């Protein structure tokens, strides 16, 4: 069983930055994969970025070049640094995790954190 808790969301102006954090609490060993999806109102949930415990990463084309994903394996945490934010980045961002190796498919999910990009 894995519990995920996101933090760091909020309101930011276009062109601004936010850093999302995700902390994983496990009853077993540490998770392998962690990443982020997002869901805007009336839209399907979409992949944003993912990273393995070994540091391999994958990004959606819509955010490539604007976001950095990183891990702190010792703390079982993942971070999503988002820069040059656009209004279309507005969504609820969900952290996902998996015990198996993957860069974009997760078995466990957090409750989500709201990111709003608006002037």
């Amino acid at each position: 069983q894995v519990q995920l808790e996101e933090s760091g969301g909020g309101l930011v102006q276009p062109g601004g930055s936010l850093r999302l954090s995700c902390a994983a609490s496990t009853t077993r060993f540490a998770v392998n994969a962690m990443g982020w999806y997002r869901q805007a109102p009336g839209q399907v949930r979409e992949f944003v970025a993912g990273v393995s415990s070994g540091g391999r990463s994958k990004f959606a084309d819509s955010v490539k070049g604007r976001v950095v994903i990183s891990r702190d394996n010792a703390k079982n945490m993942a971070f999503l640094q988002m820069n040059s934010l656009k209004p279309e980045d507005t969504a609820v961002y969900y952290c996902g995790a998996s015990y198996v190796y993957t860069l974009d498919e997760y078995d466990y999910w957090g409750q989500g954190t709201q990111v709003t990009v608006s002037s």
Side-chain angles (χ1 to χ4, degrees):
Q1 188 72 11
V2 178
Q3 292 185 323
L4 301 171
E5 183 173 359
E6 305 99 334
S7 61
L11 173 65
V12 63
Q13 292 186 341
S17 298
L18 275 179
R19 186 183 191 231
L20 305 184
S21 300
C22 177
S25 299
T26 68
T27 57
R28 298 170 59 191
F29 36 87
V31 295
N32 184 311
M34 297 183 75
W36 299 86
Y37 274 65
R38 68 186 181 186
Q39 187 167 20
Q43 303 296 317
V44 299
R45 190 177 293 193
E46 65 175 4
F47 171 73
V48 178
V51 62
S52 70
S53 59
R56 294 194 68 182
S57 59
K58 179 179 178 179
F59 299 91
D61 289 342
S62 59
V63 302
K64 202 169 291 184
R66 298 190 296 121
V67 306
V68 176
I69 189 168
S70 59
R71 292 279 297 270
D72 184 335
N73 292 330
K75 296 181 179 179
N76 233 3
M77 294 187 70
F79 307 94
L80 187 70
Q81 175 69 41
M82 301 188 293
N83 304 312
S84 302
L85 283 162
K86 306 174 182 180
E88 50 264 44
D89 293 316
T90 295
V92 177
Y93 283 69
Y94 296 92
C95 176
S98 173
Y99 282 116
V100 300
Y101 176 82
T102 179
L103 291 178
D104 57 10
E105 295 183 7
Y106 307 109
D107 302 307
Y108 303 95
W109 295 96
Q111 294 298 308
T113 184
Q114 176 71 46
V115 171
T116 302
V117 185
S118 175
S119 55

